[in-house]
Amino acid sequence: MSEREQPETTRPAVTPPRSVPDTPASAPGAPPAGLRRELPAEVPPAAPRTASGRTGASEAPRMTHPPQVSQKPQASETPAADGPAEPELTGRRRLVNGLWPPRVTRAQLIVALLLFGLGFGLAVQVASTSDTDSALRGARQEDLVRILDELDDRTERLEDEKQGLEKQREELENSSDQAEEARRQTIEKERQLGVLAGTVAAQGPGIEMTIEDTKGTVESDMLLDAIQELRAAGAEAIQVNGVRVVAGTYLSDADGGVSVDGNKIKSPYRFKVIGKPQDLEPALNIPGGVVQTLEKEQATVTVERTDKIVVDALRAPKRPDYARSSSR
């Protein structure tokens, strides 16, 4: 059989190759063509110019996009961290981080407690001083004069007491019989304490004050103010209507009068006071004092000085239940 008469053998269809657009030749070292879709194309090298100044026919069209940036990172660039980059700390933020949370040591805690105690003490002292100053600043002129006179009188009495004690010490040191001198001074001291305690009678210069209460407006607190004023002026012995006034005396209101240590007394109230008359009378007659207060209550007050006042009302000595002399 001839070759022409032989049946043609069926050949498989061959898919023609996909036409690839003409691309300029890649420069040496350029990335594969597959990366062209993701990365910008490189600028092709300029074609050599002809003598006429025109480029050859195979010149590629000029690209308008910017040149490709090198894919490899420079040596000076720092590789990106895996996590998000932390913001740069400012000066204020660094200060806050240094102060909080606080780092307290034992020494710092002790110093803080000492400073707190010192500040609290200073605050209390300043507050007490300011209270005293404000009280005196708001006082009347008459009250300031009275306070000043009382301070002067107390200063004089303390000076006299100091001189008397120094004199007794000198007598004890210079006496030939010190035991006899000590006994004599002990008896004198006992007599003085008996006068103050009301166990012995007393006499001397002083004043007599009479209070006529016809309206019944005088109360126990007014008489107590009079006694306190007399004591502050230097009264050594006081007697009111036959009742001896001592350190433990108390006064209370009663029907139609006043009770002194449980003894009811009525108007007129007669005070017998032993002391320096030049100090006792002005203390009662100062502006805003005892006399002026009683007169506002429609009471009549008379004060007389005398060279001899006899205080003969006595108090029975009371033996203490628990206290004993330390010399035994």
Side-chain angles (χ1 to χ4, degrees):
M1 186 179 294
S2 62
E3 297 177 356
R4 293 181 180 180
E5 295 177 356
Q6 292 179 357
E8 293 180 357
T9 306
T10 303
R11 296 181 181 179
V14 179
T15 303
R18 187 179 300 175
S19 61
V20 180
D22 295 336
T23 57
S26 58
L35 298 178
R36 294 290 182 173
R37 298 180 181 177
E38 299 179 0
L39 299 176
E42 297 180 357
V43 178
R49 292 180 179 271
T50 61
S52 62
R54 297 182 180 179
T55 57
S58 62
E59 181 179 1
R62 183 172 297 178
M63 305 299 294
T64 58
H65 52 76
Q68 182 181 4
V69 182
S70 175
Q71 298 178 0
K72 296 183 179 180
Q74 301 293 333
S76 59
E77 294 181 358
T78 305
D82 296 337
E86 296 182 358
E88 184 180 359
L89 295 179
T90 61
R92 180 180 299 178
R93 186 62 183 176
R94 287 196 296 268
L95 179 60
V96 172
N97 292 340
L99 295 178
W100 189 264
R103 300 174 181 84
V104 182
T105 61
R106 181 179 299 178
Q108 293 175 349
L109 183 60
I110 294 175
V111 172
L113 292 176
L114 293 177
L115 292 177
F116 175 77
L118 179 61
F120 181 77
L122 291 176
V124 172
Q125 184 177 3
V126 170
S128 60
T129 305
S130 61
D131 292 342
T132 304
D133 295 342
S134 61
L136 294 177
R137 191 180 299 110
R140 298 178 300 175
Q141 183 177 2
E142 296 83 0
D143 297 335
L144 295 176
V145 173
R146 177 174 59 83
I147 293 173
L148 184 60
D149 292 339
E150 291 179 357
L151 291 176
D152 293 339
D153 296 339
R154 291 177 184 178
T155 302
E156 293 179 0
R157 290 196 300 270
L158 291 176
E159 289 292 338
D160 296 340
E161 184 177 357
K162 177 183 176 183
Q163 293 178 1
L165 293 175
E166 291 178 351
K167 183 179 179 180
Q168 291 180 4
R169 185 186 64 182
E170 292 177 358
E171 291 177 354
L172 287 173
E173 292 176 351
N174 299 330
S175 177
S176 57
D177 191 354
Q178 296 184 358
E180 183 63 26
E181 182 65 23
R183 189 178 299 108
R184 185 186 67 81
Q185 291 187 6
T186 301
I187 295 174
E188 182 67 19
K189 192 68 174 179
E190 181 180 0
R191 186 183 66 82
Q192 295 177 0
L193 293 177
V195 171
L196 297 177
T199 57
V200 298
Q203 64 179 9
I207 63 171
E208 289 185 356
M209 180 175 65
T210 304
I211 301 174
E212 293 282 351
D213 182 22
T214 57
K215 302 293 183 178
T217 58
V218 176
E219 299 178 352
S220 60
D221 57 343
M222 301 178 185
L223 298 183
L224 180 61
D225 291 340
I227 293 174
Q228 297 291 0
E229 195 70 38
L230 292 170
R231 284 176 173 173
E236 297 177 354
I238 303 175
Q239 176 177 317
V240 182
N241 288 21
V243 180
R244 188 71 170 267
V245 177
V246 294
T249 297
Y250 64 93
L251 287 82
S252 61
D253 295 325
D255 294 336
V258 177
S259 176
V260 181
D261 288 340
N263 301 311
K264 184 178 179 180
I265 60 176
K266 296 182 179 181
S267 176
Y269 304 106
R270 295 184 175 87
F271 285 73
K272 293 184 177 181
V273 186
I274 296 177
K276 188 176 181 180
Q278 293 81 359
D279 295 338
L280 297 177
E281 184 180 3
L284 296 174
N285 291 318
I286 61 174
V290 174
V291 175
Q292 192 174 33
T293 302
L294 292 173
E295 289 177 351
K296 289 181 179 180
E297 300 295 333
Q298 300 180 358
T300 304
V301 183
T302 58
V303 180
E304 296 179 359
R305 299 184 185 183
T306 179
D307 295 335
K308 184 178 181 180
I309 296 292
V310 178
V311 177
D312 52 2
L314 303 180
R315 301 286 292 255
K318 182 180 179 180
R319 183 180 179 86
D321 295 332
Y322 304 100
R324 296 292 182 268
S325 175
S326 59
S327 60
R328 296 182 180 180

